[in-house]
Amino acid sequence: MHEAQKSFAVLANPFDCCSNLTSKLTNSIALATRGECAFTAKAKTAQAGGAVGLLVINDNEELYKMVCSENDTSINVTMPVVMIPQSAGKKLKGFLDHGASVEVQLYSPNRPVVDLSACFLWIMAVGTIVCASLWSELVACEQVDERYNQLTRKDGPNTGTNYSEDKEIFEISAKGAIIFIITASVFLLLLFYFMSSWFVWVLIVLFCIGGIEGMHVCLVTLLARIFKDCGQKTVQLPFLGEVLTLSVGIVPFCMVFAILWAVYRHASFAWIGQDILGICLMITVLQMARLPNIRVASALLSAAFVYDIFWVFISPLIFHESVMIAVARGDNTGESIPMLLRIPRFFDPWGGYDMIGFGDIIFPGLLVAFSYRFDRASEKGIINGYFLWLIVGYAVGLFLTYLALFLMDGHGQPALLYLVPCTLGLIVILGWVRGDLHDLWNYRKGRMENLVDEP
């Protein structure tokens, strides 16, 4: 860094640096905005004008590699070209517009082989699945009258209704799994072609609504577990009937939390709020949605496996770029899709975030949660059961995802390419070796037949 040469920054004129420049750039570093022409064209124009470097201001805060097009086979650019975040570019331009002299020193810092953010994200993903699977076992409070756990009208205690039987559980079917993946593909294409700021805002609002509900459910359950008396106090509300006093107090807090995240979602600390809302949402989803057996799990995860690979690796052959990666980045909108966990790279001088999508946690998480229920129903222990081994399999699959990300120099990876074989493949092989494959495959069907045969 100390040996790097310093040069003065000069605004390119025209500012997009796509045509012959009228500004004097001799021995200076040009500052230009992104867009209107290829990065290579900007570099050639700035170099022809005498610049010794080029700073390209991105149109948002996330930074991406500047790549050459397929036709650029003989590029003669000898100066450094660096992309900088939108906020940094605005500050530099503001100084230069006011006549200040800005001296720039370009150097290439050393990047860590593995940033701690990847380790924390790995722990968050694995921990979310473990918590969701063990949620009822670890934090469910027997003294809480669950009829009043939500802000929805419930039947009174004298109606003879058993809440545990009426609890809303969505059981996934093989047909529903395929339809869901097809619908997700159509929605992804709509985002790819018609993504705009208002479209992303719709997703942000939906994420906030889901996050509020998820945080509310988690907090009510946790606090009722800690403060057992809170699970018994109720209040009568218009239109809602009798609800928990604790629930009434928590809902406004959850709403304020989600609104503050939405307002400050571009702040450096916004990832904390997004991850909290996202984890609560996924825990709630994994409590509400269930796989009845690995026959349905095979349909869902196999379809998701193909979905992930197609939209990351194969879609560039059809749409000229990876649809999944483009949508996740929120290209041309200045906004990013909130349906993911993210954490900043703490020790990477280039900054940025490590991320994992909700689907990479929820899809395998459904199978892991099923394995826990199967182990309990079959009275299996930790070692001869399936839950522990699927947790290990998911952790290994996620590790392989990050390893592939590193080996492929940061190119986006379809995480389910590694997670599905390490979870679905593992339970199928273990079930076959142990002789449980038939029971795993037809688990729900057999259970229902036993219930019908009982007097």
Side-chain angles (χ1 to χ4, degrees):
M1 174 180 177
H2 299 290
E3 298 176 358
Q5 184 178 356
K6 295 181 180 180
S7 303
F8 287 100
V10 177
L11 291 175
N13 188 15
F15 194 36
D16 57 22
C17 201
C18 290
S19 56
N20 293 333
L21 300 174
T22 59
S23 54
K24 294 181 180 181
L25 300 178
T26 305
N27 296 325
S28 300
I29 294 178
L31 183 66
T33 186
R34 180 179 179 178
E36 303 302 330
C37 63
F39 295 118
T40 51
K42 297 178 185 293
K44 289 178 181 178
T45 302
Q47 185 170 279
V52 295
L54 173 64
L55 297 181
V56 179
I57 303 173
N58 196 21
D59 46 20
N60 56 54
E61 290 301 295
E62 295 290 334
L63 297 179
Y64 315 110
K65 286 187 176 181
M66 294 179 287
V67 297
C68 304
S69 63
E70 297 178 356
N71 298 325
D72 291 328
T73 57
S74 58
I75 301 173
N76 186 23
V77 177
T78 58
M79 67 177 188
V81 181
V82 179
M83 180 182 289
I84 60 176
Q86 185 181 47
S87 58
K90 286 183 177 179
K91 288 182 180 179
L92 289 176
K93 186 177 183 299
F95 290 141
L96 294 173
D97 285 339
H98 288 83
S101 295
V102 178
E103 201 171 23
V104 178
Q105 186 179 33
L106 297 182
Y107 70 100
S108 180
N110 295 322
R111 304 184 67 180
V113 176
V114 178
D115 194 274
L116 278 179
S117 61
C119 300
F120 281 116
L121 195 63
W122 181 86
I123 293 173
M124 286 167 59
V126 175
T128 298
I129 290 181
V130 172
C131 287
S133 301
L134 302 179
W135 187 259
S136 58
E137 191 76 17
L138 296 177
V139 299
C141 181
E142 294 181 357
Q143 297 186 20
V144 176
D145 191 344
E146 289 187 332
R147 287 181 295 107
Y148 311 116
N149 196 28
Q150 305 295 326
L151 284 180
T152 54
R153 186 179 181 87
K154 304 292 182 184
D155 294 331
N158 299 323
T159 60
T161 301
N162 187 339
Y163 180 79
S164 61
E165 294 178 357
D166 290 344
K167 188 176 181 179
E168 293 184 4
I169 299 294
F170 173 71
E171 193 167 89
I172 302 170
S173 64
K175 181 179 178 181
I178 302 300
I179 292 175
F180 175 80
I181 296 299
I182 294 174
T183 304
S185 297
V186 173
F187 187 68
L188 193 66
L189 273 179
L190 289 175
L191 285 173
F192 179 70
Y193 281 113
F194 304 106
M195 180 178 284
S196 58
S197 297
W198 71 266
F199 209 153
V200 177
W201 258 109
V202 172
L203 296 179
I204 291 173
V205 171
L206 293 176
F207 171 73
C208 287
I209 294 173
I212 290 170
E213 175 63 15
M215 181 180 262
H216 165 243
V217 171
C218 292
L219 286 179
V220 166
T221 308
L222 286 172
L223 292 176
R225 171 70 175 177
I226 298 172
F227 307 102
K228 299 183 184 298
D229 293 339
C230 295
Q232 304 299 325
K233 297 179 180 179
T234 60
V235 63
Q236 197 77 21
L237 293 180
F239 306 109
L240 297 177
E242 195 173 8
V243 298
L244 276 178
T245 304
L246 178 63
S247 186
V248 175
I250 286 177
V251 168
F253 169 78
C254 297
M255 293 178 65
V256 170
F257 187 94
I259 292 172
L260 287 176
W261 170 81
V263 172
Y264 295 102
R265 66 190 181 282
H266 296 302
S268 59
F269 55 83
W271 63 274
I272 301 174
Q274 181 171 329
D275 290 351
I276 291 174
L277 291 170
I279 289 173
C280 291
L281 173 60
M282 286 187 286
I283 288 176
T284 304
V285 169
L286 290 173
Q287 292 295 301
M288 296 174 59
R290 290 185 178 179
L291 291 172
N293 47 51
I294 64 170
R295 176 175 57 85
V296 176
S298 298
L300 176 63
L301 291 178
S302 297
F305 177 81
V306 174
Y307 166 89
D308 224 17
I309 294 175
F310 178 84
W311 292 115
V312 174
F313 284 156
I314 302 177
S315 62
L317 303 177
I318 303 173
F319 305 98
H320 306 295
E321 63 176 318
S322 174
V323 173
M324 182 79 77
I325 295 175
V327 170
R329 289 194 311 235
D331 288 354
N332 303 322
T333 65
E335 298 280 359
S336 58
I337 302 299
M339 280 68 175
L340 46 82
L341 299 182
R342 62 174 186 156
I343 188 169
R345 300 189 185 105
F346 300 113
F347 301 105
D348 191 337
W350 297 100
Y353 291 85
D354 281 320
M355 298 173 286
I356 182 171
F358 287 176
D360 300 329
I361 298 176
I362 291 177
F363 287 137
L366 288 168
L367 180 59
V368 174
F370 162 76
S371 70
Y372 178 71
R373 297 194 306 274
F374 180 84
D375 286 353
R376 290 193 63 189
S378 304
E379 298 182 349
K380 292 184 178 293
I382 295 177
I383 301 300
N384 68 339
Y386 296 92
F387 174 68
L388 175 63
W389 299 111
L390 283 188
I391 289 294
V392 173
Y394 179 81
V396 171
L398 197 56
F399 170 78
L400 293 176
T401 303
Y402 288 124
L403 181 62
L405 193 66
F406 169 74
L407 294 176
M408 296 189 68
D409 198 22
H411 187 278
Q413 293 294 302
L416 293 178
L417 171 64
Y418 311 95
L419 295 174
V420 171
C422 289
T423 52
L424 180 62
L426 179 62
I427 195 173
V428 170
I429 293 173
L430 276 179
W432 177 69
V433 171
R434 295 173 174 178
D436 294 331
L437 188 56
H438 181 270
D439 293 336
L440 287 165
W441 190 263
N442 301 288
Y443 172 69
R444 184 61 181 172
K445 180 180 178 182
R447 183 182 175 190
M448 291 302 294
E449 288 174 351
N450 290 338
L451 290 175
V452 172
D453 293 337
E454 290 178 2

